[in-house]
Amino acid sequence: MTKLVVVSAGLSVPSSTRLLGDRLAAATAAHTGAEVQVIEVRDLAVEIAHNLTSGFPGPALAAALDAVTEADGLIVVTPVFSASYSGLFKSFFDVLGARDQDALAGKPVLIAATGGTARHSLVLDHALRPLFAYLRAVVVPTGVYAASEDWGAEGLPERVERAAGELAALLPTAAGRPVAALPPEAAGRPGAAESPGAAERPGAAERPAPPAARRAEPDGFTVVPFEEQLAALRG
């Protein structure tokens, strides 16, 4: 079964950070049927501090690091402190990187954050995205930021669903293939059943959807499809 791990760095109980992580996980699992595990970094604070000074993780921290390393995909959510991710959140991934530099290499990651004001939404692109790019993770295009006024307002559910769909497209299904590679008949897209002779054609069920084409912009830049960038990273 596909393993999806949520790393939540919320400090309060209840926590809006944990709530956002739960919503993203539920939306992703609805696409993939993934098994979800939530890691509350708050509960590991003492063991993280000990690991930073001794180099040895306690049993709970070791189990959390193993879960992240073995996951097929991650959802990471942090509250915003001083216009960046929290120190505890960063320390967790510092410990992970010190233990295994390749732990997140090529792993799909959805980044998210919560804060009291929409002015901190740039934390996604100015702090979280560079961090996970450095760790060589594959960060999905859409990050989700939730300010206090976003809860119960229009827009947040749509952003959650869009980001979850992008992450789900990079996760393996029960058959071991990414959701994005499923043929039309398996994905349930309209028009698949009307294709004459599709069931009789050898290999029709295994044929992936055609990749998006590159396109040239008027300013001379070439737009490379996300799937092609991902294939280059994995290769």
Side-chain angles (χ1 to χ4, degrees):
M1 177 177 286
T2 303
K3 295 181 180 179
L4 178 65
V5 171
V6 180
V7 178
S8 171
L11 297 180
S12 60
V13 180
S15 165
S16 61
T17 301
R18 171 65 186 270
L19 178 59
L20 181 57
D22 287 344
R23 289 194 178 184
L24 290 166
T28 305
H31 288 284
T32 63
E35 176 185 89
V36 178
Q37 177 180 348
V38 179
I39 295 173
E40 289 277 12
V41 183
R42 175 189 66 244
D43 299 334
L44 304 171
V46 173
E47 291 194 19
I48 289 173
H50 288 168
N51 187 97
L52 290 173
T53 56
S54 70
F56 296 98
L61 178 57
L65 297 174
D66 288 341
V68 169
T69 302
E70 296 167 5
D72 296 300
L74 296 180
I75 296 172
V76 298
V77 196
T78 178
V80 175
F81 290 152
S82 301
S84 188
Y85 37 66
S86 73
L88 188 58
F89 178 88
K90 177 62 161 54
S91 294
F92 177 82
F93 288 101
D94 283 344
V95 169
L96 178 68
R99 187 194 198 208
D100 181 358
Q101 294 181 350
D102 298 325
L104 298 186
K107 195 182 299 293
V109 175
L110 192 166
I111 56 174
T114 58
T117 171
R119 292 195 298 270
H120 289 307
S121 61
L122 291 176
V123 69
L124 295 173
D125 291 323
H126 286 188
L128 283 167
R129 201 174 294 277
L131 170 63
F132 288 96
Y134 173 78
L135 295 172
R136 293 183 292 150
V138 178
V139 184
V140 302
T142 300
V144 180
Y145 178 82
S148 298
E149 63 266 23
D150 288 328
W151 298 102
E154 294 182 1
L156 180 59
E158 289 76 12
R159 296 200 304 275
V160 166
E161 184 59 33
R162 181 169 65 248
E166 292 171 355
L167 177 61
L170 301 179
L171 295 178
T173 63
R177 294 175 296 176
V179 173
L182 289 175
E185 58 270 30
R189 290 194 289 271
E194 289 78 7
S195 178
E200 288 78 14
R201 291 197 298 270
E206 290 79 15
R207 187 177 297 115
R214 293 190 180 199
R215 68 177 188 274
E217 297 292 328
D219 56 9
F221 289 96
T222 299
V223 177
V224 181
F226 182 64
E227 293 82 358
E228 186 174 334
Q229 298 179 46
L230 176 61
L233 286 171
R234 288 178 169 170

